[in-house]
Amino acid sequence: MAYNVFRFCTGLKVVGSLMILVVLGVVGVSYYAVVAASYGPELLDGGGKAAGALLVILAFHVLLFMLLWSYFAVVFTDPGGVPSGWRPPPQEQDEELGETAPFSGAVPSQGAPDSAAGDPPGGAVGGRRPRYCRKCMAFKPARCHHCSVCQRCILRMDHHCVWVVNCVGAKNYKFFLLFLLYTFLECTLTAAALLPHFIFFFQDEDQQAQSASNLATVFLAFVLNLAFALSVLGFLVMHTSMVLSNTTTIEAFEKKVGSRWRFDVGKRKNFEQVFGLRPLIWLLPLYTEEDFRRIPALNGLDFPVRSDLESQDRW
């Protein structure tokens, strides 16, 4: 890589934990607009609109609970670091020590492989050789990268996300994806629920005069949720594609167009490496002990590879 575009992201670390307050602020505005200003009064007034208001409020709270659960699961779950003293097999150590390029002095990025972290020359992500991190002064497994924000190597690193103030890696990638999913669903529901009230405020002059503060809140919440729903949808589609091909954001940035990916073992198995084996908890931000026992990839150290690049598993 001749130029590392991810270095522009390193300045975002100054934002720090303020992003959590931004997320909670958007949630607060949306909650007031939907529950306090719009559908709460309709529910309390009774009548023909009460049943619809109850359904909107229930759906809003269910999605909000799942959104916050997934969000804080990403924030507080360690994405996975290289175990102390981890070393590759002896034959791979010899290969690595004999072929590692000299330290280039380049500044490592938060989201891309770099020569400062000691990747061997010509060693594409997913290569059979482990790499050596010159920052951590330790070997790092395949698909592991050094994060300049967290100042350590992250197993199966996808990217460092300022919105969750944490790296997204082997052990919290599922939680990040669920956060995107529930954010999209919640924002879509909120925008759709507020649209009739948004239009009503502009049609009824008396209502505008009596509820100027509610109008401002509804307007702000509608615009914010519509914008978030559209933007998150793009990320959700992108990450869904990467899950099904068993690719991280960093790996997608590195891979050559048209190259066949040795970690792509079929859509079903690729999906299970992130979401686990039990469909009943695919939509919950948690894993079972069986998942960690039967899916080594969740630990970020050992990944199955395609034995036949021409074969393709079907869903």
Side-chain angles (χ1 to χ4, degrees), residues 62-145:
V62 170
L63 291 176
L64 179 60
F65 174 78
M66 296 304 301
L67 186 159
L68 293 176
W69 184 9
S70 301
Y71 179 71
F72 285 109
V74 185
V75 172
F76 292 113
T77 299
D78 191 308
V82 181
S84 178
W86 181 87
R87 299 183 70 84
Q91 68 275 15
E92 294 184 356
Q93 292 183 38
D94 295 339
E95 186 177 6
E96 167 65 23
L97 293 174
E99 297 188 31
T100 300
F103 174 57
S104 66
V107 178
S109 74
Q110 68 184 49
D114 49 75
S115 57
D119 291 341
V125 173
R128 296 183 181 277
R129 295 173 302 186
R131 284 81 46 79
Y132 188 83
C133 179
R134 305 265 181 179
K135 294 296 184 181
C136 298
M137 298 301 291
F139 286 102
K140 56 181 182 179
R143 314 189 77 181
C144 176
H145 295 282

